[in-house]
Amino acid sequence: MVSSKIEICEVGPRDGLQSEPRIWTVEERVELIDRLSSTGVPRIEAVSFVNPKRVPQMADAEVVMAKIKRPKGVKFAGLALNAMGAERAIEAGVDEVRYVVVASETFNQRNQGATINESLVGFSKIADKVVNAGLKLSATVAAAFGCPFEGKIEVDQVAKIASKLVDGGCVEVGMADTIGSGVPTQVTELLSVVRHAVGSEIGLGFHLHNTRNTGFANAAAAASAGILFLDASVGGLGGCPFAPKATGNIATEDLCFMLRNMGFETGIKIDAYIETSLWAETFFDTPLPGQIMKAGLFPDTVTG
Ligand code: ZN
């Protein structure tokens, strides 16, 4: 049975801001996260524990984590790609550690500076630390639909990596359409193959980009097929700085509007989200890609 609840993981403060050339101050990042955590969103990917020399937008993750409000019912995740990152994440007090392996060998080597196998070995090294610290361990298979360097990615390749990550100790696997090339039929196929590979106990979700305008159709397909979570970004902030031409996380409030009117519960106050998107937009020279922030809700008397 398809659950009527979908857990939204807001990735704007990490995936979103990381892709923006303007570096937000710690105070601005804290305000963004605090605004988001008051909207009813249950999960926020708030920070990244990568080398600040490589990703200066994500420097001072510890300071951000120390300054944000921690409302009950909201879980805060941090990205970690190696043992040092995982130790920093544990020390900084995140609820969840997210790890990424790219499904394409070339992209993984360019993005993570390691082969896929080395990334999987790296994952097993951080898994014990994270689990023993009592934190949730989540993994993402990036470029799960296509790669800017290698082209189409086979579903079996994604399933193979997903099951290795599960063997390594994660309780959840996200499949990311990093370059926004997927279509709904691919979403359902990938979901079914990965589900078969990892078993029924593992939470599955998607991280979808709207690069080619299929992000929301893909999210609808994923929701209808039965998933635990969807990543999305406030106002559609951000893309991926390491993937050529990749733009456009799907906007969280647009996703919540669509899911709500399809009969799914997200627990999110969409009005509050729109306000946050409009606030975030003031930091940029160009409009954010979100559409509901421009068009408004329909019917506009319904909130939540
Ligand atoms: Zn993204």
Side-chain angles (χ1 to χ4, degrees):
M1 201 188 82
V2 173
S3 165
S4 66
K5 279 196 181 145
I6 302 226
E7 206 175 287
I8 302 296
C9 181
E10 167 62 46
V11 299
R14 203 286 298 170
D15 187 19
L17 294 188
Q18 169 172 335
S19 312
E20 297 297 337
R22 177 183 174 275
I23 297 179
W24 285 41
T25 66
V26 164
E27 287 69 29
E28 289 165 352
R29 286 158 67 194
V30 168
E31 181 166 359
L32 175 63
I33 295 166
D34 285 347
R35 281 172 179 262
L36 290 166
S37 71
S38 70
T39 61
V41 72
R43 284 167 79 179
I44 300 177
E45 191 178 291
V47 287
S48 171
F49 297 93
V50 293
N51 186 343
K53 285 199 185 97
R54 191 151 183 257
V55 188
Q57 290 92 334
M58 291 292 107
D60 299 316
E62 288 86 349
V63 186
V64 171
M65 282 308 299
K67 288 192 169 185
I68 55 168
K69 294 182 187 132
R70 301 292 291 263
K72 244 181 136 189
V74 186
K75 303 282 186 201
F76 294 88
L79 183 73
L81 297 176
N82 53 36
M84 191 204 276
E87 274 159 27
R88 284 178 62 200
I90 293 163
E91 194 68 25
V94 299
D95 301 300
E96 169 187 337
V97 171
R98 287 185 143 196
Y99 188 85
V100 178
V101 177
V102 189
S104 134
E105 190 62 60
T106 311
F107 197 176
N108 197 68
Q109 289 184 23
R110 289 200 185 207
N111 202 26
Q112 326 292 70
T115 65
I116 291 174
N117 272 338
E118 284 165 352
S119 285
L120 288 167
V121 171
F123 179 72
S124 58
K125 283 189 184 150
I126 75 156
D128 280 353
K129 283 189 213 294
V130 172
V131 173
N132 290 339
L135 308 185
K136 179 173 172 182
L137 182 60
S138 178
T140 299
V141 184
F145 293 83
C147 163
F149 312 109
E150 292 186 14
K152 190 173 186 300
I153 297 295
E154 298 300 330
V155 288
D156 290 343
Q157 165 77 352
V158 179
K160 200 171 84 185
I161 294 171
S163 55
K164 285 189 177 161
L165 289 165
V166 167
D167 290 346
C170 71
V171 293
E172 175 182 285
V173 178
M175 292 157 274
D177 189 5
T178 311
I179 60 163
S181 68
V183 298
T185 42
Q186 286 178 282
V187 168
T188 41
E189 186 196 5
L190 185 59
L191 187 60
S192 129
V193 174
V194 171
R195 172 59 72 207
H196 185 73
V198 301
S200 58
E201 297 301 307
I202 298 298
L204 294 179
F206 285 92
H207 177 109
L208 299 162
H209 282 189
N210 203 31
T211 318
R212 292 172 179 78
N213 255 342
T214 56
F216 291 93
N218 291 343
S224 301
I227 35 116
L228 177 72
F229 72 96
L230 285 169
D231 286 358
S233 169
V234 57
L237 191 62
C240 172
F242 304 109
K245 294 187 199 163
T247 54
N249 286 308
I250 56 172
T252 312
E253 64 275 15
D254 293 10
L255 175 66
C256 291
F257 166 79
M258 181 184 79
L259 292 175
R260 180 195 74 181
N261 288 16
M262 287 173 74
F264 292 100
E265 285 169 45
T266 63
I268 286 174
K269 298 184 210 76
I270 306 177
D271 280 347
Y273 238 93
I274 294 171
E275 270 174 42
T276 305
S277 291
L278 292 170
W279 172 80
E281 193 175 56
T282 63
F283 291 87
F284 299 98
D285 296 331
T286 50
L288 288 177
Q291 293 287 87
I292 298 289
M293 63 190 285
K294 303 176 186 91
L297 284 170
F298 179 87
D300 59 10
T301 49
V302 180
T303 58

